[in-house]
Amino acid sequence: MIMELVERTDAVTVLDGLLAAAVVGKGRVAVVSGAVATGKTELLNSFADRVVDLNGLAITATGATSEQDLPLGVMSQLLLDAPLVDGERRRAMNLLYEGAQGLTMGDDGISRLDPQIVHSLCTVLIELSRRYPLAVVVDDIDRADQASLVCLAYLARRVRFAPMLALFSRSGQRRPGGPVLEVDGLSRSPHGAHIVLTTLSVAGVQELAAREIAEADAERLAVRWHQLSGGSPLLVG
């Protein structure tokens, strides 16, 4: 459960507040960033579970460097994860196909997606949020394909008019040659939040270790394990 995450109380509190606003129709955008192995994926996965526990709907996707040349790959993940009725699903699949086939290359070398396709794909998700409070959760958005980034930025600009929380994670620093993420600007207060995860303190390492070994051993080993892991929750685990 999300409340069991070590030294992430502040992040959880912020996300809970954004979700509460989204449920009453004041949609929000959140970006979680941090160095590798600081627990971004665990936080997103746990929060997606929490949304479901609160009778909402969470649909998820993950960006991957190996799929950046797959047009609308991340949007496809989201729509395949969504509980659409048959007519909606056919419409979504047709839009994905039409969008991928209709991509054009601009003079700057960036693929261009028909704005009507962008609007229609995002409308599918906005309409879905009218039936269920919706969390759109994308891990590693900075590894998403360019066409999906265009759609997600469009969606993020419109969530405040819908019962929806758009939650994205990215690395702490922009990768050389990586895309400029418009969602960063859209996650600023008052309509969103940028949450930065840091490594665990010695006390956090001790707390995490104590879940698996005796408390006395966790206290004795915490400083050394913190030195060896750099406070990475993944390495401590």
Side-chain angles (χ1 to χ4, degrees):
M1 296 295 296
I2 194 166
M3 295 307 292
E4 296 177 354
L5 297 175
V6 174
E7 294 188 338
R8 298 296 181 248
T9 302
D10 289 346
V12 170
T13 299
V14 171
L15 291 176
D16 276 350
L18 297 177
L19 179 62
V23 166
V24 297
K26 300 176 181 178
R28 295 293 185 259
V29 179
V31 174
V32 177
S33 67
V36 174
T38 49
K40 298 185 295 295
T41 297
E42 182 181 8
L43 177 63
L44 263 63
N45 289 342
S46 297
F47 192 74
D49 290 341
R50 182 172 179 79
V51 172
V52 174
D53 290 341
L54 296 174
N55 298 317
L57 173 66
I59 57 175
T60 63
T62 302
T65 303
S66 61
E67 295 186 7
Q68 284 183 317
D69 292 330
L70 180 63
L72 294 171
V74 166
M75 284 299 293
S76 176
Q77 291 181 54
L78 291 171
L79 290 165
L80 287 171
D81 196 31
L84 304 176
V85 299
D86 288 345
E88 291 173 327
R89 188 165 300 281
R90 284 193 299 271
R91 174 187 169 204
M93 294 304 105
N94 288 337
L95 287 168
L96 288 169
Y97 177 80
E98 184 179 347
Q101 294 298 308
L103 282 177
T104 59
M105 189 66 70
D107 294 337
D108 53 5
I110 297 177
S111 297
R112 297 286 190 266
L113 183 62
D114 185 338
Q116 288 301 318
I117 296 292
V118 176
H119 172 77
S120 296
L121 284 171
C122 293
T123 297
V124 172
L125 297 180
I126 291 172
E127 289 176 350
L128 181 63
S129 74
R130 307 296 182 190
R131 301 201 296 269
Y132 318 88
L134 179 64
V136 176
V137 181
V138 181
D139 196 13
D140 289 332
I141 190 175
D142 47 336
R143 291 189 171 98
D145 61 280
Q146 185 64 42
S148 291
L149 285 175
V150 171
C151 291
L152 292 171
Y154 180 97
L155 183 68
R157 289 193 295 271
R158 284 157 180 78
V159 295
R160 62 193 180 103
F161 306 111
M164 182 189 302
L165 170 63
L167 174 58
F168 311 118
S169 80
R170 65 166 177 80
S171 62
Q173 294 182 332
R174 186 184 170 196
R175 296 181 176 88
V180 176
L181 299 178
E182 189 179 343
V183 295
D184 279 352
L186 296 170
S187 65
R188 298 190 184 115
S189 181
H191 302 301
H194 183 185
I195 300 168
V196 180
L197 298 187
T198 58
T199 53
L200 299 179
S201 66
V202 173
V205 170
Q206 180 177 332
E207 180 183 345
L208 188 58
R211 296 177 179 179
E212 303 296 334
I213 62 177
E215 179 66 41
D217 290 334
E219 183 177 0
R220 175 174 56 85
L221 294 167
V223 172
R224 181 57 177 156
W225 282 10
H226 183 268
Q227 292 171 340
L228 291 172
S229 67
S232 161
L234 178 64
L235 293 180
V236 174

